[in-house]
Amino acid sequence: MARTPASRSDSNSPADAYANRNPGPGGETHQTATSPDQTLTTNQGAPISDNQNSLKAGARGPTLLEDFILREKITHFDHERIPERIVHARGSGAHGYFQPYESCAKWTKAAFLQDPSVQTPVFVRFSTVAGGAGSVDLPRDVRGFAVKFYTSEGNFDLVGNNIPVFFIQDAMKFPDLVHSVKMEADRAFPQAASAHDTFWDFASLSPETTHMLLWAMSDRAIPRSLRMIEGFGVHTFRFINEAGESTFVKFHWRPMLGTASVLWDEALKINGADNDFHRRDLWNAIDSGDFPEWEFSVQVFDQATADAFEFDILDATKLIPEEVVPLTKLGKMVLNRNPDNFFAETEQVAFHPGHVVPGIDFSNDPLLQGRLFSYTDTQLSRLGGPNFHEIPVNRPQCPMRNFQRDGLMRMNNPPGRANYEPNSIAPEGPRESPRGFHTVADPVEGGKVRERSETFSDHYSQARQFFRSQTEPEQQHIISAFAFELAKVAIVPIRQRVLGHLHLVEPKLGKAVEAALGMEGQAEQIKPAKAPIDLPDSPTLSIIKKAVPILKGRKVGVLVTDGADDKLLADVRSAVEAEGAMVELVAPKIGGVKTAGGKQLPADHTISGGPSVVFDAVVLAVSKDGVAALVKEAAAVEWVQNAFAHLKFIGHTSTAKPLMDKASVVPDAGVIAIEGGSEGGIDAFITGAKTHRLWEREPTLRTPG
Ligand code: HDD
């Protein structure tokens, strides 16, 4: 499992790259070079004899317009890009499957939730929201979590996020929200950042954003790995069973590796060290057979529960605490195959909350209702026409037949005269079926109004509940995040308005952010539409409170020099790998080091190329001679300094002491001598590393701001 990045890229041999590994959902083959004849051809299939030189009038003469091979190649290249998604432009995809634990027939007739022996193929795309396609992986941002289930009764797209609530309550506000958070209109910066005037201007003038802002300023918005994020359908949906009975449902994904985040200072540095940090992590995990998994869970509730709830279940800025309606686990999703081609699959995949199947239906949530229009509309311009459902990654993997015809880029070739229905000339069909999709006959009444329901008007109570439910370190991070973002807001009254909202959420929060900004007493007085109420704490809203000790899926960086102890290195590696984690060696030179036993060990990274921010825990396995050079090396000192500042567990040899002293490492429970003795040892290091961070260290190192 512990394959090095070098060995991974070696596996991308031309033979692999050309292998026709993706026959497409319909089993059709795509043109590849797997045929015995490897001849390079044009798109029309004409063989090419020279792919290096254009056709010229004489070796030094002008290029001829006649060169159809050159023109085809350049024309195709000129059109290789399509408009990037207006939001969620940067994404990473993977294939896998979903399998239910047992039949969910009592709630839903959805075909993929009936039989525990049936695996339903899925394609998942994770994304950041605000940044462009080439932006960094670790901005402070919401993560998209979109799953396409290729069920036997059509595609079901669960187009969610890693945060269970949303910024706005009505789709009417989505363009404003997105305009405000993306690069500012005149200057085209900042890229992939909410820390600027326009976002906070909009947010502070839209009190409904408050609850989501608390989540966005929490560690949820800087995940350690896409394999460690939760996912939420956000809206209330409906399950419908065979009897036509409807229940409300909220969808949840829970990562089997636990939910985990990085620290903000670490996120900033990771973006510099490896701006593909999440994309690479997901790809490498799947490539090495360490398949990420999530449990699919639901909160199912009836009308009586909905009526008793303090908030409106149609309001996407509210969640239902797990303590109120517990989660029921329905099954597991495993991602076990990387895309063959990023563009064909991850870029062209078209999700849509309106892609539902019999057994699943919508609620009247006005945000969801607006989304039902937006997603098809955006694919029309993004993918160029109405036939995007024929692109292999979007195609259903069940029979798909109707009388829709033609249009740009039509791929299938329907035979016959019958392109209408009813018809008598094609008795073989297709025809309507009682099994077909039936919308719940939910009664509707009322005048045509442009109004926000009064039941949507409490914007602070759940934000308060979220803040109060966090541990002390998590609260400090939220305070710091607000201070960081607002410090980038140049227009002072905007800052003051935000502070006013924070006071309504929780005076402790408002005051702490004021203090961190050096703006004591400057909050604007804001009159809430509805006074907040105190709700019971919900411990499941905290990442730290529900953290489980686990090292699986993590990476331990081992700093080595010439003369490193062979046995110690081998013992560290086997202890880490026994936990399902991975070791990578960091050395002064990429050629590696010569161990005390005379063995040449290749390195995975140089010190500046593999800074400690990309690891979950570190080991300093340096020799006495080796350390003398490292203390004079700024990158090595910073490597150790950062590991300590980011609260990581540090295992070390006694010979590493000069380097730790130079890096101002103060001995604490997270600094562990791995050579053993009465305390410490590799086991103690592993036990500590499984808890990921020594939170007690943090107050000794930083104050909010
Ligand atoms: Fe959206 C993409 C999730 C509200 C309009 N959205 C998009 C993606 C995700 C979400 C994960 C990326 C899908 C992919 O990977 O291709 N969006 C959400 C969630 C929302 C939400 C969880 C609130 C609960 N979105 C929302 C609203 C609108 C849109 C209210 C418009 C009225 N979203 C879009 C879009 C996108 C999109 C513009 C851009 C690219 C795409 O659809 O395919 O149509």
Side-chain angles (χ1 to χ4, degrees):
M1 227 179 57
R3 296 168 68 187
T4 63
S7 69
R8 267 179 222 114
S9 55
D10 286 344
S11 77
N12 284 335
S13 67
D16 266 8
Y18 277 88
N20 183 16
R21 290 189 294 154
N22 181 7
E28 77 292 359
T29 52
H30 308 306
Q31 191 179 354
T32 69
T34 46
S35 64
D37 181 357
Q38 295 281 323
T39 306
L40 187 72
T41 74
T42 65
N43 288 338
Q44 301 303 317
I48 296 175
S49 62
D50 183 343
N51 192 34
Q52 320 303 322
N53 300 294
S54 53
L55 187 70
K56 300 177 206 72
R60 299 182 58 248
T63 301
L64 299 177
L65 187 59
E66 179 193 322
D67 189 351
F68 68 97
I69 297 176
L70 173 75
R71 276 189 287 112
E72 182 197 79
K73 186 173 178 182
I74 299 288
T75 305
H76 195 277
F77 171 77
D78 289 344
H79 298 267
E80 270 178 12
R81 289 294 171 274
I82 59 175
E84 67 176 33
R85 290 166 173 82
I86 169 67
V87 277
H88 298 267
R90 182 168 177 80
S92 305
H95 295 271
Y97 65 87
F98 170 78
Q99 192 162 10
Y101 291 142
E102 55 187 47
S103 169
C104 308
K106 67 177 167 180
W107 291 321
T108 177
K109 60 181 175 183
F112 74 106
L113 290 172
Q114 304 304 310
D115 184 346
S117 69
V118 171
Q119 293 185 347
T120 297
V122 297
F123 185 80
V124 178
R125 185 174 180 274
F126 302 104
S127 47
T128 52
V129 179
S135 57
V136 293
D137 272 353
L138 259 169
R140 175 172 295 285
D141 199 357
V142 181
R143 297 302 183 285
F145 191 138
V147 182
K148 189 179 283 294
F149 297 79
Y150 303 93
T151 89
S152 59
E153 288 197 320
N155 288 351
F156 168 49
D157 291 357
L158 185 50
V159 196
N161 282 338
N162 74 329
I163 290 180
V165 289
F166 202 63
F167 288 108
I168 48 169
Q169 297 171 320
D170 191 308
M172 189 73 158
K173 298 311 300 166
F174 192 68
D176 300 294
L177 165 72
V178 173
H179 286 172
S180 80
V181 73
K182 294 210 57 130
M183 307 169 299
E184 294 194 9
D186 53 355
R187 58 209 71 185
F189 62 80
Q191 173 63 256
S194 53
H196 57 116
D197 291 44
T198 57
F199 174 69
W200 288 97
D201 192 26
F202 173 82
S204 61
L205 293 169
S206 313
E208 71 204 71
T209 60
T210 309
H211 186 197
M212 175 83 160
L213 285 175
L214 266 282
W215 284 80
M217 295 303 115
S218 80
D219 295 342
R220 299 270 176 166
I222 41 173
R224 156 64 181 87
S225 161
L226 297 172
R227 299 175 291 138
M228 297 169 198
I229 60 172
E230 294 183 348
F232 302 90
V234 181
H235 313 282
T236 299
F237 288 84
R238 287 171 183 275
F239 267 160
I240 317 291
N241 64 15
E242 279 297 347
E245 294 157 345
S246 150
T247 42
F248 293 119
V249 60
K250 291 232 176 210
F251 295 115
H252 297 250
W253 294 106
R254 291 293 145 93
M256 301 302 277
L257 295 178
T259 312
S261 295
V262 299
L263 300 179
W264 178 235
D265 181 65
E266 209 180 359
L268 294 173
K269 292 180 169 131
I270 290 172
N271 284 334
D274 180 5
N275 65 348
D276 303 305
F277 185 66
H278 282 158
R279 182 175 282 188
R280 191 188 308 280
D281 168 274
L282 180 70
W283 178 279
N284 285 349
I286 294 174
D287 196 42
S288 65
D290 186 9
F291 301 141
E293 299 178 340
W294 283 261
E295 261 178 337
F296 185 49
S297 303
V298 285
Q299 287 175 297
V300 176
F301 54 101
D302 57 15
Q303 187 66 55
T305 310
D307 293 342
F309 189 44
E310 292 95 342
F311 305 99
D312 198 323
I313 58 152
L314 302 182
D315 174 357
T317 68
K318 306 297 185 300
L319 53 80
I320 303 183
E322 283 176 50
E323 291 79 2
V324 177
V325 179
L327 259 55
T328 307
K329 295 172 180 175
L330 300 191
K332 196 193 272 185
M333 176 172 76
V334 179
L335 297 184
N336 59 6
R337 184 160 66 88
N338 280 316
D340 290 330
N341 184 279
F342 179 86
F343 181 84
E345 300 173 89
T346 311
E347 196 60 10
Q348 293 198 116
V349 66
F351 291 96
H352 182 10
H355 293 164
V356 291
V357 290
I360 295 175
D361 203 349
F362 315 115
S363 69
N364 292 340
D365 174 343
L367 195 71
L368 174 60
Q369 294 281 322
R371 293 180 77 192
L372 297 180
F373 165 72
S374 183
Y375 287 69
T376 309
D377 189 44
T378 207
Q379 311 309 349
L380 292 176
S381 67
R382 204 172 70 77
L383 298 171
N387 289 318
F388 58 86
H389 62 282
E390 293 192 350
I391 296 171
V393 71
N394 294 326
R395 217 178 278 173
Q397 298 190 21
C398 61
M400 192 276 287
R401 5 177 162 72
N402 57 41
F403 297 99
Q404 293 171 33
R405 293 289 188 271
D406 308 345
L408 272 179
M409 302 292 172
R410 189 74 187 189
M411 300 291 155
N412 78 1
N413 191 7
R417 295 164 72 195
N419 58 358
Y420 58 93
E421 192 275 336
N423 69 56
S424 62
I425 60 171
E428 70 280 10
R431 294 287 183 267
E432 298 156 353
S433 155
R435 174 72 205 161
F437 189 89
H438 289 281
T439 295
V440 173
D442 191 25
V444 177
E445 59 175 62
K448 294 180 184 172
V449 291
R450 286 190 191 278
E451 272 177 19
R452 197 70 62 92
S453 167
E454 199 279 322
T455 53
F456 283 34
S457 58
D458 177 349
H459 303 310
Y460 302 100
S461 301
Q462 283 209 341
R464 176 180 293 176
Q465 179 184 43
F466 178 77
F467 186 73
R468 288 185 180 170
S469 301
Q470 305 300 307
T471 59
E472 184 63 23
E474 289 170 305
Q475 289 189 347
Q476 293 303 315
H477 297 171
I478 292 171
I479 293 163
S480 296
F482 273 110
F484 180 94
E485 298 264 317
L486 294 178
K488 302 272 182 191
V489 171
I491 301 169
V492 175
I494 297 178
R495 285 190 218 148
Q496 293 168 327
R497 212 182 298 135
V498 178
L499 290 170
H501 292 296
L502 297 185
H503 274 279
L504 287 170
V505 172
E506 175 71 277
K508 171 184 163 185
L509 171 64
K511 286 203 190 101
V513 178
E514 278 183 9
L517 289 168
M519 290 181 61
E520 285 88 343
Q522 292 190 42
E524 186 185 317
Q525 287 285 320
I526 291 182
K527 190 171 159 9
K530 189 164 180 184
I533 54 170
D534 289 331
L535 298 164
D537 282 2
S538 168
T540 51
L541 298 178
S542 152
I543 298 179
I544 295 182
K545 282 183 194 165
K546 61 181 180 187
V548 280
I550 181 171
L551 201 58
K552 184 168 159 34
R554 303 283 184 137
K555 225 194 250 186
V556 176
V558 180
L559 185 61
V560 286
T561 59
D562 284 342
D565 184 322
D566 299 72
K567 178 165 177 343
L568 196 69
L569 285 181
D571 289 350
V572 167
R573 183 180 288 279
S574 64
V576 170
E577 289 180 0
E579 296 292 334
M582 179 186 269
V583 163
E584 285 183 359
L585 295 185
V586 181
K589 299 197 172 142
I590 198 66
V593 293
K594 188 167 265 175
T595 62
K599 206 165 121 193
Q600 185 67 27
L601 275 186
D604 298 302
H605 308 273
T606 59
I607 298 172
S608 55
S612 62
V613 289
V614 303
F615 302 111
D616 296 285
V618 298
V619 171
L620 312 178
V622 292
S623 68
K624 189 159 183 284
D625 290 345
V627 84
L630 291 190
V631 292
K632 294 190 211 130
E633 200 58 65
V637 176
E638 203 187 337
W639 203 91
V640 179
Q641 234 163 18
N642 276 332
F644 187 71
H646 298 143
L647 320 177
K648 287 174 186 167
F649 281 78
I650 303 177
H652 65 90
T653 53
S654 55
T655 41
K657 186 154 186 319
L659 183 59
M660 294 200 294
D661 288 345
K662 187 80 187 282
S664 308
V665 170
V666 180
D668 64 21
V671 181
I672 298 167
I674 47 167
E675 282 142 336
S678 55
E679 282 179 18
I682 294 173
D683 288 352
F685 168 72
I686 297 285
T687 307
K690 283 163 85 166
T691 64
H692 311 137
R693 295 184 201 265
L694 188 74
W695 296 111
E696 303 89 277
R697 192 188 291 158
E698 192 160 41
T700 69
L701 293 171
R702 62 176 70 88
T703 46

